[in-house]
Amino acid sequence: MSKRRKLTDLILKVLIWLFSLITVGFLAGMVIYIVSRGISGISWEFITGNYNLYKGETGILPMIVGTLLLIFTTIIIAVPVGVFAAIYLTEYAKQGLFVKIIRFGTESLAGIPSIIYGLFGYIFFKNTLNLGFSVMSGALTLSIMVLPIIVRTTEEALLSVDPGYREGSLALGATRLQTIFKVVLPSAMPGILTAVILSMGRVIGETAAVIYTVGSVARIPAFDKLLTSSVRTLSVHLYMVALEEADFVSAFATGTILMIIIAALNFAANRLTRRFINGRTKGLGPTI
Amino acid sequence: MNGCISGNKRKFTYEKAIELIFALSAFMMIISVAVICFYIFIEGVPPILKIGISNFLFGTRWAPTFKEPSYGILPMILASLFGMLGAIIVGVPIGIFTAIMLAEMAPKRIYGLLKAAIELLAGIPSVVYGFFGLTVIVPFIRTHFKSPTGTGLLAMIIILSVMVLPTIVNISETALRAVPKEYKEGSLALGASKMETVFKVMVPAAKSGILSSVVLGMGRAIGETMAVIMVCGNIPNMPKSLLDTVSPMTATIAKDMSYAGPFHQSVLFGIGVVLFVFIIFLNLILNFVVRKSLDRK
């Protein structure tokens, strides 16, 4: 090779390493910075304490409860719809206009920014359906938002089920539906679980769509009003304490907790994905 | 079996009913898109017409709470566009080179590490990015550049450049991996070096995939709200320099919604309409120009 070609080669190689290093470096810097300042703020009282500024209480138990409520409700609504849609797309639908339109719908939903979801949830679920600022308004909004993730991931899982299983079951006289529920879905279970975990991550990380549907009341709701009260999720809490109250101790600690949760969810999703698609990983990446 | 035929018939209608439920679930996605569009437009278009389309889009003064209010959103549109362009200019080279690292160069251990990092970057909530920007990047800009607050376009671009990375890296990597092995082998056999093969054969072959990653990254950048709101300064100035405090469309909507009166609020939906139109436009580009050759088999 000529000298110039060798030099270009070297420069490109250095750039590839350098830019990859920047990517990892930024992440590492951000994680280290936030965790090192946040970890000391995390204590038993912080996690299990109540939040009341007048009494000087800065615990995040209400936010943990609120986040769990929102996750749970969203998953309950979104998973059946998403899984059924994926079953339809992989097991029943013939490639045609209808499927094309549905794919277009999935892609569009994945591309809509979260603030638009927030506006929509505010005007439709909160105002038009009169659900108010509540877990229900938020869960309905977020379940639309996570549908693309669930449909995509479940579809992948269904497609990776060995066709021999289906044929064997059908040959034994099982109907199509029996085959789906007793043979295909059980083997696609790790994939569906991955979809659930990825949706959880999305709900935990969401703020713009949550703040104008769920609201930001930092109280544990009464037991008979779990779905009709406004709660505050951890992400919304981080936003509020950082920007409105300038309480950076709580903000760093909450940010640390959020990062730990996301890392754990990513780890779990990766573990599961390896079981249904050999060797590939799936974290909270883009859904397209 | 007793009553075998009628039993089968019942089974058949039952199966049909369930199939219908499956189809309806799939149809839910179309309905959702339609309902979202409908409600955003029905709420957002009337105030735009009332203000006047050109006053709204090209007006440079945003003063919704004044006695004589003014609703020009050009500063926000420009802030959104500049933020997006900046993020693309910085993020695309970093993202594509990282994708090349993943697809072609990384040893197994580094691959695992880098991939995990990208996934974590994708999963970290945008408020955490915003908070990092607020506590690290903004003070850095305040002390090292001549900027009184440190907030503004530059801080916004830095944060957005990182936030578009996962989208660009993941989709570009997939595109690079989908290039037929023969291309690479042919090029290497003809005496091209590894880097020449990557940049002159593989990247051009994966062009459509890489382009779609860029377009999707643009969508992510223009739609990002919470990270931007914490670093942009939230003052809708016309962006003239990188250090100007700005307020892009998303940040204005999110910030103003908490206190807006009725008309001000519906104007915010009007901004939502403009944002939505941008997203639809990006989707169209994706579908008609870029996607054509990318269809997954």
Side-chain angles (χ1 to χ4, degrees):
Chain A
M1 271 203 298
S2 73
K3 237 182 185 169
R4 237 190 90 205
R5 279 174 69 198
K6 268 190 187 154
L7 188 67
T8 329
D9 247 46
L10 186 70
I11 292 175
L12 286 171
K13 264 185 200 152
V14 169
L15 278 180
I16 291 176
W17 279 94
L18 182 73
F19 283 167
S20 307
L21 205 68
I22 293 179
T23 306
V24 178
F26 195 99
L27 174 77
M30 190 158 87
V31 170
I32 291 170
Y33 178 81
I34 290 180
V35 171
S36 68
R37 278 164 182 72
I39 202 85
S40 58
I42 300 175
S43 61
W44 187 245
E45 291 84 61
F46 181 68
I47 292 174
T48 60
N50 231 320
Y51 186 80
N52 188 332
L53 277 185
Y54 300 107
K55 292 190 200 154
E57 296 170 336
T58 55
I60 56 164
L61 186 63
M63 285 43 111
I64 294 176
V65 173
T67 310
L68 289 175
L69 261 178
L70 187 64
I71 291 175
F72 191 71
T73 321
T74 307
I75 298 292
I76 293 278
I77 299 169
V79 166
V81 179
V83 171
F84 286 170
I87 291 176
Y88 182 78
L89 287 170
T90 51
E91 309 284 323
Y92 288 92
K94 295 170 194 73
Q95 296 302 317
L97 188 65
F98 186 61
V99 172
K100 266 201 184 130
I101 295 176
I102 291 174
R103 296 235 181 271
F104 174 76
T106 325
E107 271 165 36
S108 308
L109 285 183
I112 295 175
S114 51
I115 184 70
I116 298 280
Y117 278 105
L119 286 179
F120 167 70
Y122 179 88
I123 202 77
F124 185 66
F125 294 121
K126 178 189 160 282
N127 288 352
T128 310
L129 298 188
N130 212 5
L131 294 169
F133 283 122
S134 66
V135 172
M136 206 58 204
S137 296
L140 288 167
T141 311
L142 291 179
S143 31
I144 302 177
M145 197 162 163
V146 298
L147 266 184
I149 303 176
I150 297 177
V151 174
R152 284 269 164 68
T153 316
T154 309
E155 256 190 287
E156 258 182 73
L158 292 174
L159 287 174
S160 67
V161 173
D162 188 345
Y165 287 16
R166 285 188 191 90
E167 286 154 14
S169 163
L170 291 170
L172 286 171
T175 63
R176 212 171 179 183
L177 197 63
Q178 286 167 336
T179 306
I180 288 171
F181 276 110
K182 299 199 174 139
V183 178
V184 179
L185 278 186
S187 358
M189 220 39 187
I192 296 172
L193 271 178
T194 310
V196 171
I197 293 174
L198 295 177
S199 314
M200 290 168 69
R202 191 75 204 267
V203 175
I204 291 170
E206 191 46 54
T207 311
V210 172
I211 204 163
Y212 292 115
T213 53
V214 181
S216 57
V217 175
R219 251 200 318 268
I220 299 177
F223 195 69
D224 55 334
K225 289 186 184 129
L226 285 181
L227 299 185
T228 51
S229 348
S230 164
V231 296
R232 185 190 282 191
T233 66
L234 286 167
S235 288
V236 172
H237 186 60
L238 171 53
Y239 174 69
M240 302 293 264
V241 289
L243 223 59
E244 319 254 302
E245 284 147 28
D247 170 10
F248 278 21
V249 178
S250 290
F252 276 116
T254 312
T256 304
I257 287 178
L258 280 170
M259 294 238 234
I260 292 171
I261 296 175
I262 292 296
L265 288 177
N266 260 344
F267 181 74
N270 272 332
R271 268 304 175 77
L272 276 167
T273 313
R274 282 209 190 96
R275 282 176 56 182
F276 80 94
I277 305 173
N278 246 345
R280 275 182 52 195
T281 63
K282 191 168 193 77
L284 286 159
T287 42
I288 291 185
Chain B
M1 258 203 289
N2 214 356
C4 179
I5 294 171
S6 71
N8 266 347
K9 209 170 182 184
R10 187 153 12 100
K11 213 178 216 172
F12 183 71
T13 47
Y14 171 68
E15 295 237 336
K16 274 285 162 210
I18 303 280
E19 188 183 333
L20 191 69
I21 294 179
F22 291 162
L24 279 178
S25 302
F27 202 57
M28 267 308 284
M29 286 183 282
I30 314 293
I31 299 175
S32 307
V33 175
V35 174
I36 292 173
C37 282
F38 178 78
Y39 272 90
I40 298 290
F41 279 81
I42 208 83
E43 193 69 20
V45 170
I48 298 181
L49 296 177
K50 200 173 170 201
I51 298 162
I53 294 178
S54 69
N55 281 344
F56 182 65
L57 290 181
F58 303 115
T60 55
R61 196 164 151 265
W62 173 255
T65 51
F66 284 29
K67 215 173 211 165
E68 278 184 22
S70 166
Y71 300 98
I73 65 161
L74 188 63
M76 299 164 206
I77 297 179
L78 290 181
S80 287
L81 288 180
F82 290 164
M84 179 184 86
L85 284 180
I88 292 301
I89 291 170
V90 182
V92 165
I94 299 182
I96 293 178
F97 277 57
T98 309
I100 292 173
M101 179 73 162
L102 283 170
E104 288 298 316
M105 284 175 66
K108 210 171 173 197
R109 197 170 287 169
I110 293 186
Y111 181 88
L113 184 82
L114 195 53
K115 196 75 184 164
I118 300 290
E119 277 163 7
L120 202 53
L121 276 178
I124 289 177
S126 45
V127 267
V128 175
Y129 279 100
F131 183 58
F132 180 72
L134 183 74
T135 49
V136 176
I137 295 170
V138 168
F140 180 83
I141 294 175
R142 188 168 50 220
T143 46
H144 292 264
F145 299 88
K146 268 194 192 147
S147 160
T149 59
T151 56
L153 200 53
L154 182 61
M156 182 178 145
I157 289 175
I158 295 174
I159 284 294
L160 286 178
S161 313
V162 181
M163 294 186 79
V164 298
L165 280 181
T167 311
I168 294 172
V169 174
N170 279 335
I171 295 163
S172 297
E173 187 204 344
T174 313
L176 284 169
R177 283 188 187 279
V179 174
K181 244 193 2 231
E182 292 77 14
Y183 286 26
K184 186 170 141 193
E185 284 163 0
S187 164
L188 290 172
L190 285 171
S193 70
K194 178 98 192 249
M195 285 301 113
E196 285 166 341
T197 305
V198 167
F199 284 94
K200 294 192 176 148
V201 178
M202 303 199 55
V203 171
K207 192 177 58 192
S208 62
I210 293 176
L211 269 177
S212 29
S213 80
V214 174
V215 177
L216 287 166
M218 290 164 85
R220 174 108 205 244
I222 205 167
E224 181 48 51
T225 310
M226 298 323 273
V228 164
I229 212 174
M230 293 167 95
V231 298
C232 69
N234 296 304
I235 300 165
N237 292 324
M238 285 294 267
K240 291 193 192 73
S241 91
L242 277 175
L243 296 173
D244 279 345
T245 50
V246 291
S247 184
M249 294 187 278
T250 50
T252 312
I253 299 173
K255 196 88 190 163
D256 286 13
M257 273 294 278
S258 56
Y259 65 85
F263 187 71
H264 182 181
Q265 196 181 80
S266 59
V267 176
L268 296 177
F269 277 83
I271 303 178
V273 168
V274 177
L275 182 63
F276 212 147
V277 170
F278 271 107
I279 294 291
I280 292 171
F281 184 65
L282 286 177
N283 258 328
L284 286 180
I285 296 180
L286 197 62
N287 271 301
F288 291 107
V289 189
V290 183
R291 262 294 160 71
K292 280 257 143 60
S293 45
L294 188 73
D295 276 332
R296 275 186 290 182
K297 278 107 209 167

